Amino acid sequence: MLSTHGANVKQLCIKYNLNEDKITDFSSNINIFKPHINYELLAENISFSINRYPDIEYSELKENISHLYKIDKNYIQVGNGATELIYDLLLLDEFKNIGIFNPTFSEYERASLINKKNVIDLDINKIDQIDENTTIKDFKNLYLQENVNIPDILILCNPNNPTGIITNLQNLIKFCKKNNIFLLVDETFIDFMYNENFSLISNIKLYDNLIILNAITKFFAMTGARLGYTFCSNKDINRALEKIKKPWSINILAEEVIKQLCNINTDFYEKTKNYFTNESKRLYDKYSSIKNISITNSSAPFFTISLHDKNAQELQKKLLLEKNILIRTLNNYKNISKNSIRIAIKEKHINDMLFDILSDYF
């Protein structure tokens, strides 16, 4: 395994003595479009505020996020990227038994184990068998042995990371509400395509057991600004998060960036959704023509390919050393073939370049 996360380009280039500037990185799932930011104004505002502490309550920041997502500011908690919020949430005493729908982002399990929580591995491929009439006994029969505790919280990414498959979660949230289970949904990738009907953000007020996680990292292509946020109407959970919150974990850059994102043209959203929707379909059709592989029908800015008769790690190393191309292997994910790769959707000509290389390889 070359890296635990995607985009670990610098370390790989040091290891293999490669030029980082020449690497085409298909392991990092970032929007190829960038929102229009007035960098002169951004620099001016930062230079004016750089010698001041950020507001420790993040009042203005939360108001701006509230404006951006049309969410009550009292439902918002912020963190230094979504990852900090994952660790904060899974530190809470309310969550002792953590049910994680796999495959998924590895930090959920890592945060649970670091915080000494009981991790319950759940196969996401069975999730459609849960509905509002599912009983705890049914759930145990579906997922658990009789002596395993029922989760206090269920966690999943929607669309899924790494497959990109999106799921209607209305039945799951009803099941959770009925059985006093919290549901944490990572919607980091949901805005890349026309997935509005799958988002649970409009259910925040209705279900106080629902927590939605998002960030500016992926969709807005602002990985360096490090800003994530949760939406939750449960006062006890928000109060508990505020109690353990590290002071000044959000910097001035993130605060100033959000101000500008509140005013970006709606064309940015439409351009992104239109491109990734069409390009994902085009690539699915192209890769489906290759024998000896299986590709997921993705609703995210990436897709997964399972290799039938090739070795994923050997392919990753071959592409990196011979073609300066970095892809993501999935051998550290659960409930998915270890011989799989994840490929980010880039500009059309770059996608075609990789397709030509892989079609020759297979």
Side-chain angles (χ1 to χ4, degrees), residues 6-7 25-30 218 223 301 326 342 344-346:
D25 184 12
F26 284 92
S27 75
S28 180
N29 312 305
I30 308 298
K218 307 294 186 180
T223 54
L326 179 59
R342 188 189 67 199
I345 298 175
K346 302 295 185 182

Side-chain angles (χ1 to χ4, degrees), residues 150-184:
I150 291 296
D152 301 306
I153 185 170
L154 297 177
I155 302 175
L156 77 161
C157 296
N158 203 35
N160 177 263
N161 178 10
T163 67
I165 295 172
I166 200 162
T167 304
N168 188 320
L169 299 179
Q170 290 297 330
N171 283 333
L172 182 63
I173 184 58
K174 291 174 183 176
F175 162 79
C176 289
K177 180 65 175 177
K178 180 180 176 182
N179 293 285
N180 298 314
I181 299 171
F182 277 85
L183 177 63
L184 171 59

Side-chain angles (χ1 to χ4, degrees), residues 57-285:
E57 301 294 335
Y58 308 114
S59 301
E60 185 179 4
L61 176 62
K62 290 180 179 180
E63 286 179 4
N64 286 324
I65 296 171
S66 170
H67 174 78
L68 188 63
Y69 286 90
K70 308 297 186 290
I71 289 287
D72 187 326
K73 67 179 181 180
N74 294 310
Y75 297 167
I76 298 170
Q77 297 297 322
V78 294
N80 190 277
T83 304
E84 182 182 49
L85 287 162
I86 292 170
Y87 280 77
D88 285 352
L89 277 165
L90 297 180
L91 179 63
L92 300 184
D93 291 336
E94 287 84 350
F95 308 136
K96 294 181 173 61
N97 300 297
I98 317 297
I100 302 175
F101 285 102
N102 283 299
T104 195
F105 185 45
S106 61
E107 292 301 329
Y108 293 119
E109 181 169 351
R110 185 169 182 267
S112 300
L113 295 175
I114 286 175
N115 289 321
K116 296 181 170 52
K117 301 304 176 74
N118 175 40
V119 175
I120 304 164
D121 174 27
L122 305 173
D123 186 349
I124 199 168
N125 296 306
K126 297 180 180 179
I127 200 169
D128 287 336
Q129 298 181 48
I130 301 173
D131 60 37
E132 59 183 308
N133 297 316
T134 301
T135 65
I136 289 295
K137 183 178 180 181
D138 295 333
F139 186 81
K140 278 196 168 188
N141 289 337
L142 183 62
Y143 279 114
L144 311 171
Q145 298 176 357
E146 283 299 320
N147 60 345
V148 176
N149 292 330
I150 291 296
D152 301 306
I153 185 170
L154 297 177
I155 302 175
L156 77 161
C157 296
N158 203 35
N160 177 263
N161 178 10
T163 67
I165 295 172
I166 200 162
T167 304
N168 188 320
L169 299 179
Q170 290 297 330
N171 283 333
L172 182 63
I173 184 58
K174 291 174 183 176
F175 162 79
C176 289
K177 180 65 175 177
K178 180 180 176 182
N179 293 285
N180 298 314
I181 299 171
F182 277 85
L183 177 63
L184 171 59
V185 183
D186 184 338
E187 293 193 351
T188 304
F189 296 107
I190 206 161
D191 292 323
F192 278 85
M193 298 188 194
Y194 297 102
N195 296 323
E196 290 84 356
N197 291 337
F198 292 92
S199 174
L200 290 183
I201 197 166
S202 62
N203 292 270
I204 286 293
K205 190 173 183 179
L206 181 62
Y207 294 100
D208 66 352
N209 63 320
L210 174 62
I211 305 168
I212 291 179
L213 179 70
N214 211 323
I216 64 173
T217 307
K218 307 294 186 180
F219 182 73
F220 294 112
M222 297 279 179
T223 54
R226 307 310 305 149
L227 177 62
Y229 24 87
T230 56
F231 305 135
C232 179
S233 63
N234 190 298
K235 293 181 180 179
D236 292 333
I237 294 298
N238 285 323
R239 194 176 297 117
L241 284 172
E242 288 170 357
K243 282 183 179 179
I244 64 170
K245 187 69 189 166
K246 304 171 193 67
W248 303 301
S249 69
I250 312 298
N251 61 36
I252 293 296
L253 173 60
E255 290 190 335
E256 292 298 329
V257 163
I258 278 290
K259 289 180 185 178
Q260 295 210 26
L261 290 180
C262 287
N263 298 310
I264 61 172
N265 196 303
T266 55
D267 289 348
F268 169 76
Y269 292 88
E270 185 61 25
K271 183 179 182 180
T272 297
K273 291 175 186 290
N274 185 61
Y275 175 79
F276 281 97
T277 298
N278 292 329
E279 187 65 359
S280 179
K281 183 181 185 305
R282 188 182 75 90
L283 291 172
Y284 177 80
D285 291 341

